[in-house]
Each structure stands twice: as C-alpha cells, then as structure tokens.
Amino acid sequence: FVYLLGGQTDEALGEAALPAAVCSTGSLSLWRSVAAPASVNSGAVALAAAGHLYLLGGEPDGTAVWTAKTGPDGSLLGWKSGQPLPVDLLGHGGVATDGPDGSCIFLLEGRESASLGGVLRSASVNPDGSLGPWQSPGVVPGWEFHWGPVRGFDVDGQACFAAPVIGQGGFPGT
C-alpha cells in the first residue's frame, strides 16, 4: 500500500489518511479514507516498519510520535501516541530498516532542528510496534546546513540518506 497522511492548506493542517493498493501493473487502486491520527503535523516523516506505520516530528509539535498497525486491507488499526522525540524535528528525514536483529528507525535532523542538522537518531521497533528509547549514534561528519528535505531509503538493510547541501557543509571528499 501507498499512504498519504496529513496535508496542509493556507488555513489549516489536513487530518487525512488515505491508502491505495499497489496493483501488479504498478498502478494504484482508488484512494480511500481510513482513520487518521488525532493530531497531524506538517512536515512530518512517515515510515513503515514491522507491520506498522509511523508519523514522526513536523510542526506544530516537532516531538510527536504516532504509530498505527496496518491491516491486510490497508486499514490503520488504532493510532497511538508514542514516546516523544528528544528534540523538535522539522526538515528531517527518516528510514526504517529490517535487519537480522529486527527493525530500526533512523532519523537525520534537518535544517530546522535546534542542532542545525546532522545528528542521527535511532530507535528499535519493539515486537508490539512501539519504539524503544531514542539513541543518538552520532553526528554525520562535515554535515552543516542543507536546503530542502532529507530523504531516507533502505538499501539491502542499510540506512541511507540524501539531502541537497549548501554553504561550507557537505560530506568529506565531495
């Protein structure tokens, strides 16, 4: 399934959750409405891991963590508020990985974060879909400001991030 969550107009934040099934041809089925979280943030990161959907950070509440179990029909079975993020996050990116030791979520702070970006955060996914304590495995060396969102993706169980970088930032050797 592909999910669209939230949305924003000039007047208000949207409170929508819309799944569409991916067909064998690569096309999508019709979008339909399912239960949205009680509060939706603009600029949040949405990730899927271990049969759950996660909505993390954004604004106005950059520490928000929401999770819902995904049903076989694309339904979202009860949103729950999780342990808050340790800092406000906006302009961040995320990736969920499934490795031999279980699933893990990684977030890379972006330009709107208090630290000015580059701090990596991680949490393991517990068997019930809740997240373990947030850890900070380190800072990306040479990372400074970037303009635009950070994008995360999983490559064979490895967390990878990409972001447009400006100024004296960048990654060593680039």
Side-chain angles (χ1 to χ4, degrees):
F1 285 89
V2 173
Y3 292 87
L4 294 178
L5 300 171
Q8 181 176 356
T9 67
D10 290 338
E11 293 83 34
L13 295 175
E15 293 184 1
L18 305 167
V22 179
C23 302
S24 61
T25 61
S27 62
L28 296 177
S29 69
L30 294 177
W31 295 100
R32 61 188 179 87
S33 183
V34 296
S39 171
V40 177
N41 285 347
S42 172
V45 167
L47 300 171
H52 289 76
L53 197 61
Y54 298 87
L55 198 57
L56 307 155
E59 64 179 347
D61 180 6
T63 63
V65 173
W66 290 96
T67 181
K69 184 173 177 66
T70 56
D73 63 350
S75 61
L76 299 174
L77 309 173
W79 285 97
K80 295 179 185 176
S81 178
Q83 178 70 30
L85 293 164
V87 295
D88 285 329
L89 292 181
L90 176 65
H92 58 298
V95 62
T97 62
D98 290 315
D101 297 326
S103 298
C104 192
I105 287 180
F106 293 89
L107 298 175
L108 182 61
E109 292 185 14
R111 65 180 169 83
E112 300 295 335
S113 304
S115 70
L116 302 179
V119 176
L120 188 64
R121 308 247 178 218
S122 66
S124 59
V125 177
N126 296 321
D128 66 356
S130 64
L131 297 177
W134 287 99
Q135 308 292 322
S136 183
V139 176
V140 176
W143 182 275
E144 290 180 11
F145 292 96
H146 73 275
W147 189 257
V150 177
R151 298 291 181 230
F153 49 97
D154 179 350
V155 177
D156 295 328
Q158 303 297 311
C160 300
F161 291 94
V165 179
I166 63 170
Q168 294 182 352
F171 299 101
T174 60

